[in-house]
Amino acid sequence: MADEKKPVPRVRVPANAKAGELIEIKTLISHVMESGQRRDAAGAVIPRRIINKFTAAFNGKTVFEADWFPSISANPYQSFFYKAKESGEFVFTWKDDDGSSYETKNKLTVG
Amino acid sequence: MSQTANSRRNFLKTGAIAVLASILAPHMVLAEEADVKAALDKLYSGKTMAAGKIKLDLPQIAENGLVVPIGIDVESPMTDADYVKAVHIFADGNPLPNVISYRFTPECGKASASARMRLAKTQNILAVAEMSNGQLFTAKQEVKVTIGGCGG
């Protein structure tokens, strides 16, 4: 199926921030987010397959999490905020129903 | 004479339909709201909730139910002592009531997040915020959907 392509995450994080600055992080990942509510042409239910969890960690500590349910649109977008304190690295993780997980990292320099 | 009888019959017919609709319709609404209530009870059974603190960023009318932006912003200092722990979003007209559950930390600096959801039809969106001291706040808004987003 055309939908079996590997999901590609895209994240927008500023590279630099001042200490105490509030930064907005915008993320997007390509994914069909099959809700499990649809039927194919033969009337059979198309099995559910969604990304059910998004996690953002900074320097190893989880700072933000989102549990996604089948109501989330295809190619899910998620934005949230982070208060810059020190330089380090973000790790963003998306967990798929099929057991796979997708990850991307972004460095942030504070100073 | 026959005309009066006819209009009387029509009147009765419309009346009967109206009664039937009023019997059926509240049932459907209740069933959907009950789903959201059940999902809420699973998380916060028996706890009191107050309206307020949450700002919902939703369109009043969504032309495409497949992609409806949903933003939330909860009033909080977001310090270690006082922050927003979680926000749950529900939709009462979708096949499943849950939409998203967020978990925030003081590191976020601001309890605000945006995503995009599918809405099957016109319905109410409910958000519940859980504060670090256990207090619960809610906000509700209706979104009118022109073309539903559930496919199949």
Side-chain angles (χ1 to χ4, degrees):
Chain A
M1 277 196 278
D3 296 322
E4 295 305 312
K5 283 178 290 189
K6 189 175 160 31
V8 182
R10 276 195 292 160
V11 175
R12 201 152 66 189
V13 187
N16 301 289
K18 290 197 256 321
E21 190 183 336
L22 208 52
I23 58 172
E24 187 175 16
I25 295 159
K26 294 178 175 177
T27 75
L28 193 65
I29 188 162
S30 57
H31 196 282
V32 59
M33 296 294 277
E34 190 58 63
S35 68
Q37 302 290 332
R38 298 197 309 153
R39 289 173 185 278
D40 63 17
V45 172
I46 305 170
R48 171 185 142 151
R49 196 196 142 205
I50 67 167
I51 292 177
N52 54 57
K53 196 184 207 53
F54 166 78
T55 309
F58 189 76
N59 287 346
K61 185 180 187 280
T62 298
V63 294
F64 174 82
E65 273 183 315
D67 290 337
W68 288 341
F69 292 88
S71 289
I72 296 297
S73 304
N75 304 324
Y77 168 85
Q78 182 71 66
S79 75
F80 61 99
F81 288 85
Y82 179 74
K83 197 172 184 177
K85 209 166 20 180
E86 56 194 4
S87 297
E89 191 178 53
F90 283 107
V91 178
F92 304 103
T93 313
W94 292 259
K95 286 205 165 62
D96 197 305
D97 273 350
D98 72 3
S100 32
S101 76
Y102 320 107
E103 197 182 272
T104 179
K105 295 174 180 181
N106 283 69
K107 283 201 167 24
L108 176 74
T109 306
V110 174
Chain B
M1 212 40 185
S2 73
Q3 211 176 0
T4 343
N6 209 350
S7 72
R8 185 163 171 262
R9 193 172 302 150
N10 273 343
F11 173 75
L12 285 175
K13 213 195 278 174
T14 343
I17 291 167
V19 168
L20 199 66
S22 71
I23 291 167
L24 289 175
H27 263 289
M28 283 158 69
V29 172
L30 281 175
E32 289 156 352
E33 283 185 353
D35 286 345
V36 170
K37 202 186 166 292
L40 254 180
D41 279 350
K42 230 196 249 176
L43 292 162
Y44 305 118
S45 178
K47 296 202 176 133
T48 49
M49 299 178 194
K53 298 250 188 195
I54 309 172
K55 210 181 124 254
L56 287 175
D57 193 2
L58 282 165
Q60 288 194 314
I61 298 171
E63 281 180 15
N64 178 5
L66 277 171
V67 186
V68 184
I70 161 87
I72 53 114
D73 193 352
V74 188
E75 205 185 298
S76 164
M78 292 305 272
T79 59
D80 287 345
D82 183 2
Y83 64 97
V84 179
K85 253 171 92 173
V87 175
H88 306 277
I89 299 165
F90 304 96
D92 68 7
N94 272 1
L96 298 164
N98 295 75
V99 178
I100 313 179
S101 289
Y102 291 128
R103 266 175 302 283
F104 293 99
T105 62
E107 283 78 14
C108 292
K110 188 177 176 185
S112 180
S114 298
R116 292 166 189 159
M117 63 185 169
R118 298 175 178 130
L119 294 179
K121 56 173 188 174
T122 296
Q123 58 187 292
N124 288 309
I125 305 304
L126 175 76
V128 180
E130 181 189 351
M131 305 299 181
S132 52
N133 66 4
Q135 275 188 301
L136 300 173
F137 292 94
T138 63
K140 198 174 184 177
Q141 192 186 314
E142 189 192 50
V143 179
K144 291 200 192 313
V145 177
T146 318
I147 301 165
C150 259

